[in-house]
Amino acid sequence: MALHTALLVALSLVVQQHTIARNTGDCDQITFRGTRTSTTLHSDSDDDSSVISFMHVSDDRCTSAAIVGKMTYTDAEDDIATMSFGSYAVFRERTPSTDRALSFTRDSDGQIVRSYQLNRQTTAYDADAQRWFASFLPHVLSEAGINVKPRVARWRAQGGVDNVLTNIAAMSSSGSKRAHYEALFDGAKLSDDELDRTIRSISETMRGSSGDLRSILLRAAPSVRLSKRSLVAFESAMLAMPSSGDKASVLMTYGQTADHDMLTTVARVAETIPSSGDKSGVLTVLAPRYLTSKDHGLEHAFFDVTKEIPSSGDLRGVLLIAVPYAISSADIAMQVIEMSRAIASSGDRSSVLISLVGSGALRTKELRDAFFVAAADIPSEGDRSRVLRAAAKS
């Protein structure tokens, strides 16, 4: 039995040496020149197994981790507590002056076996090595998005929501930030003030990733009024979001409010959406928010975005959406008439004007005069005649 155990231990050590070499070799390719920051994460998990590969490179440090199988961590996240059968983990930190690597395997009795290397030489896992790993492991786990919910709960218990937001802001990985924000929302309910600060934090820390920013902003979509400071951060983040679809999705959600400042911000951002379809989609969904409040500022904000729509069909669609609101507002009716003249297609332009005259919105001489000027300006004689016939019937 003693010989069998000794062979297992020896085999475990050999496996660990190969494991370290196989799973931490990427840091060998790093030359510490200039300033850079990059993070690579691959995760494939289910109920029975987990495979995580993580690497983070900065101008003076390369950290990597390979974690295979299920394992748990101490409450302070300074060590591995348990490992499932067949699992292993390898951690490495290389700087211009020091190279450390530590591997974990599980022996036949379920005990964790550690193998430590300092500058490529196997050495004792002593107090200094333990202190290094205790400070190193939390960084790796947080950047890799491992053990997120217990960590966020611990941060919140230690220093409240502000402590959670400070720790998230210090992370490099956008995906990990997103996971930690989601865990914050999954925990105890946030107060209105905490939600306001969280949205500001999201807007300031996640603007580099369009998809992650969209996802977490939608998750956080507030039912409370944001502060001026949060609105500025929100607008800045949205202006930096490159994806038209992601931007439109967020704006359509945050525009579901009666708050003047938020709607003004949404309109300013909507003007920057490059896609004609996405821009018109935002206006179509949010038209009631801008055109029913008798707020001339919001009405003008709506049409400032409308005039930036390049597609005749999309512009026609938005103006047709606005027509029902023109019945009770001469200002909206005049805006529809003026905007119709920007439609390149005679057919699309005539459709808008026919809809407007049919709505009964032309109740003043000023509106009727403007209408006939716009009708006379239609390039197609046939479409122009259709509009004039519709006006004559009305």
Side-chain angles (χ1 to χ4, degrees), residues 34-57:
T35 301
R36 60 181 159 183
T37 300
S38 64
T39 302
T40 304
L41 173 66
H42 172 74
S43 178
D44 184 9
S45 302
D46 56 35
D47 292 338
D48 299 317
S49 64
S50 175
V51 178
I52 296 172
S53 176
F54 167 80
M55 182 174 176
H56 177 72
V57 181

Side-chain angles (χ1 to χ4, degrees), residues 316-327 336-337 340 347-362 371 386-387 390-391 394:
R316 178 203 62 193
V318 171
L319 293 179
L320 289 174
I321 288 292
V323 165
Y325 305 100
I327 300 170
V336 172
I337 294 170
S340 73
D348 288 334
R349 191 185 306 185
S350 64
S351 294
V352 171
L353 292 177
I354 290 172
S355 177
L356 185 64
V357 73
S359 72
L362 303 181
F371 173 86
R386 287 174 54 231
V387 172
S394 296

